[in-house]
Amino acid sequence: MNKLKILIIISLLSVGYTLNAQQPERKNNGIVLVHSTKEGNVRLRWSPLTPEIWNIGKKNGFILEKRLIKEGSKYKIPPVTIIVEQSPFLPAPALKWEQASEHNDYAAIIFDAFYGESYSKKKGTTFPRAGILNSLVEQNDKFAFSLLSAELSYEAALLAGWGFIDNNVHPNSFCEYIIY
């Protein structure tokens, strides 16, 4: 019994130490994952935080992991890790975008950001550095408008490869989702 009390006290001291320790400030250069739950499913949507991650995601896609920690009244020790899709979440092909763009303006905006022509190349300039600046501004614009459009239309987010609906959710289960 005394050993148990000592173990608890040591554990509490270590928790108190880590809470008071100063953590270096880290810039988050990754992906934000948001969710909403309804009866029987979980709707996930993620957003890259930088234009660089946005470009990598367009080319390589995103992997979604689900860690099942508790199912019903039983805890999974260790948690069961499931890769949700065998292939990465990538933007839909251009044909699906064109069909969705007919009735969804937000899908049209994301489609243009992914597949549209570069407007910075159209602007003629005699100053070479201006072309670089214009392309950076264009990339930031496409990044920002596509994320805003995905926020306003879940259908467009799914086409962009930035969302997933998990219908395999049981009552009283506890899951952790990780996107990378």
Side-chain angles (χ1 to χ4, degrees):
M1 184 68 174
N2 286 337
K3 288 182 182 179
L4 180 62
K5 287 181 184 176
I6 291 172
L7 179 63
I8 291 172
I9 291 171
I10 291 172
S11 296
L12 289 174
L13 288 175
S14 68
V15 168
Y17 176 73
T18 57
L19 289 176
N20 292 328
Q22 293 230 342
Q23 298 285 331
E25 195 172 312
R26 286 185 275 170
K27 186 178 177 186
N28 190 353
N29 285 329
I31 305 165
V32 172
L33 177 65
V34 294
H35 75 282
S36 65
T37 56
K38 290 188 178 180
E39 194 171 313
N41 68 30
V42 175
R43 287 173 35 140
L44 301 167
R45 199 181 78 65
W46 50 89
S47 296
L49 293 176
T50 65
E52 293 80 18
I53 301 290
W54 180 75
N55 276 325
I56 291 169
K58 282 191 319 182
K59 292 175 187 164
N60 301 321
F62 297 96
I63 304 289
L64 180 64
E65 275 186 11
K66 176 181 176 179
R67 289 191 185 153
L68 186 59
I69 298 169
K70 179 185 173 193
E71 189 170 36
S73 62
K74 295 182 182 180
Y75 284 92
K76 305 284 186 181
I77 302 177
V80 177
T81 301
I82 304 161
I83 303 287
V84 174
E85 294 282 333
Q86 294 303 320
S87 59
F89 288 89
L90 288 164
L95 182 62
K96 284 189 178 182
W97 282 104
E98 289 173 3
Q99 292 169 351
S101 297
E102 291 175 7
H103 60 85
N104 187 333
D105 291 339
Y106 299 113
I109 293 169
I110 298 174
F111 174 67
D112 185 56
F114 283 178
Y115 301 108
E117 284 186 34
S118 174
Y119 58 82
S120 66
K121 292 178 184 173
K122 293 179 184 175
K123 294 180 182 176
T125 180
T126 57
F127 190 57
R129 290 186 200 119
I132 295 170
L133 181 62
N134 287 341
S135 65
L136 289 174
V137 168
E138 176 187 8
Q139 181 180 8
N140 283 336
D141 288 350
K142 288 183 172 190
F143 165 70
F145 285 117
S146 66
L147 291 183
L148 179 61
S149 297
E151 187 68 30
L152 297 171
S153 170
Y154 191 72
E155 178 189 355
L158 290 174
L159 285 171
W162 297 336
F164 178 73
I165 300 173
D166 189 358
N167 292 316
N168 192 15
V169 179
H170 302 290
N172 300 321
S173 65
F174 186 73
C175 301
E176 176 183 39
Y177 294 91
I178 300 165
I179 186 79
Y180 53 93

